[in-house]
């Protein structure tokens, strides 16, 4: 039976596929931590109150990277290099989404529009992350090996998504509304393409590791394309709407430690 639960259980139960999954996840989270750290350091004077929240976001992403690395260590593994075709962050940057790493390596302060670009990029990618973690939470919250990690990361991703809504609404009220909507739409349409391509690349590698039949691989490939088709038609709109979040000021304090994983 092809279901999210059975598919992920198969990946979890096989050492090499689990190693690939955690390596890709750890690499993406570490990259996000670096990006947020640099953005926090370059926030323009008019938005300095946002810097601690961006830094908190980065600290959470770093923590998630350590969690995935710790899960690998428990099985006696070190992280694998992230295959280029599965590098979600890099592929988004190549499509011009978010702030370029070359810009973040400079010491010149960002502009308010740069902050809007960062928050719009985060709004879209955190939607994806929150949905993926909600799926894992549904099926594996009580799993003895990964349950605690799933619960912790899912909570953080929900906070990150709420934070992007809150800050984009604040900037929209300050006069950036039209630019925010244009940027969100461009980010969402690019993200769904990158997500499709990364999903196909990851599934191809998992299929080789797990010895999937051609029929099973074809079904999973068709499913990925079907999801992309829906998102291209209408599903992207969920990534661009803004609403007052139930969680208020979700990144207003220090990052919660994760000593059992660090």
């Amino acid at each position: 039976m092809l279901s999210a639960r059975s598919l992920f259980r198969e990946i979890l139960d096989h050492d090499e596929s689990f190693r690939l999954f955690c390596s890709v996840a750890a690499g993406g989270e570490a990259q996000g931590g670096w990006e947020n750290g640099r953005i926090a350091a370059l926030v323009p004077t008019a938005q300095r109150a946002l810097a601690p929240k961006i830094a908190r976001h980065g600290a959470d992403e770093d923590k998630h990277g350590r969690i995935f690395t710790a899960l690998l260590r428990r099985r006696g593994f070190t992280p694998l290099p992230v295959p280029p075709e599965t590098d979600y962050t890099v592929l988004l940057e190549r499509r011009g989404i978010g702030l370029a790493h070359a810009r973040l390596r400079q010491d010149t302060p960002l502009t308010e529009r740069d902050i809007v670009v960062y928050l719009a990029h985060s709004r879209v990618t955190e939607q994806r992350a929150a949905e993926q973690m909600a799926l894992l939470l549904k099926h594996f919250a009580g799993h003895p090996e990964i349950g605690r990690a799933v619960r912790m990361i899912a909570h953080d991703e929900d906070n990150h998504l709420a934070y992007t809504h809150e800050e984009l609404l604040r900037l929209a009220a300050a006069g950036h509304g039209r630019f925010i909507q244009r940027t969100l739409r461009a980010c969402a349409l690019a993200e769904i393409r990158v997500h499709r391509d990364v999903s196909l690349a990851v599934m191809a590698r998992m299929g080789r590791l797990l010895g999937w039949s051609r029929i099973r691989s074809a079904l999973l490939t068709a499913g990925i394309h079907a999801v992309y088709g829906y998102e291209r038609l209408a599903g992207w709109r969920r990534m661009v709407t803004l609403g007052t979040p139930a969680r208020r000021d979700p990144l207003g304090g220090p990052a919660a430690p994760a000593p059992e994983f660090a």
Side-chain angles (χ1 to χ4, degrees):
M1 179 180 178
L2 289 178
S3 67
R5 180 182 177 86
S6 64
L7 179 63
F8 191 77
R9 184 170 291 282
E10 186 176 1
I11 292 170
L12 177 64
D13 290 344
H14 186 280
D15 281 345
E16 288 304 319
S17 60
F18 181 75
R19 188 183 187 194
L20 175 62
F21 171 81
C22 287
S23 297
V24 170
E29 297 287 358
Q31 188 76 296
W34 178 84
E35 289 174 359
N36 279 277
R38 289 300 300 154
I39 292 166
L42 299 175
V43 169
T45 302
Q47 297 294 331
R48 286 310 299 172
L50 193 55
K53 298 180 182 181
I54 300 173
R56 160 74 185 275
H57 189 177
D60 283 345
E61 303 289 0
D62 282 335
K63 178 182 68 179
H64 300 168
R66 294 196 305 274
I67 288 172
F68 283 115
T69 300
L71 290 173
L72 284 171
R73 286 202 305 265
R74 289 180 180 178
R75 289 205 189 179
F77 291 130
T78 55
L80 293 167
V82 177
E85 70 274 20
T86 70
D87 198 326
Y88 176 78
T89 303
V90 169
L91 293 173
L92 280 174
E93 183 186 5
R94 286 179 184 169
R95 287 189 174 271
I97 300 304
L99 298 175
H101 287 184
R103 174 68 180 88
L104 295 180
R105 291 188 183 98
Q106 300 172 11
D107 290 328
T108 309
L110 299 171
T111 66
E112 273 201 7
R113 282 211 161 195
D114 289 331
I115 296 301
V116 169
V117 168
Y118 151 70
L119 286 168
H121 169 260
S122 295
R123 159 71 183 94
V124 169
T125 56
E126 293 298 341
Q127 178 80 37
R128 182 74 69 185
E131 290 172 353
Q132 290 177 332
M133 291 310 302
L135 183 63
L136 290 178
L137 190 65
K138 176 181 178 181
H139 297 300
F140 297 98
H143 191 278
E145 183 178 13
I146 67 166
R148 186 169 179 81
V150 166
R151 295 192 303 272
M152 183 177 294
I153 296 173
H155 174 79
D156 289 345
E157 301 297 5
D158 286 344
N159 278 345
H160 299 166
L161 183 57
Y163 145 78
T164 62
H165 276 265
E166 196 170 67
E167 297 303 330
L168 284 169
L169 286 170
R170 178 180 63 81
L171 288 166
H176 295 283
R178 289 187 178 180
F179 180 60
I180 287 170
Q181 283 302 318
R182 289 198 305 271
T183 307
L184 281 171
R185 186 178 189 277
C187 285
L189 292 175
E191 193 280 340
I192 64 173
R193 290 192 294 271
V194 169
H195 180 257
R196 175 201 60 189
D197 294 344
V198 168
S199 297
L200 291 170
V202 170
M203 286 300 102
R205 285 181 172 265
M206 291 297 181
R208 290 193 292 271
L209 290 172
L210 296 168
W212 289 343
S213 68
R214 288 185 180 182
I215 292 175
R216 187 173 195 194
S217 294
L219 287 172
L220 288 169
T221 297
I224 291 169
H225 282 295
V227 169
Y228 170 72
Y230 162 73
E231 291 194 328
R232 184 68 182 84
L233 181 65
W236 62 271
R237 296 181 187 279
R238 76 192 190 283
M239 296 178 162
V240 304
T241 56
L242 295 175
T244 303
R247 300 183 184 196
R248 306 306 300 271
D249 196 24
L251 298 188
E260 69 271 35
F261 294 110

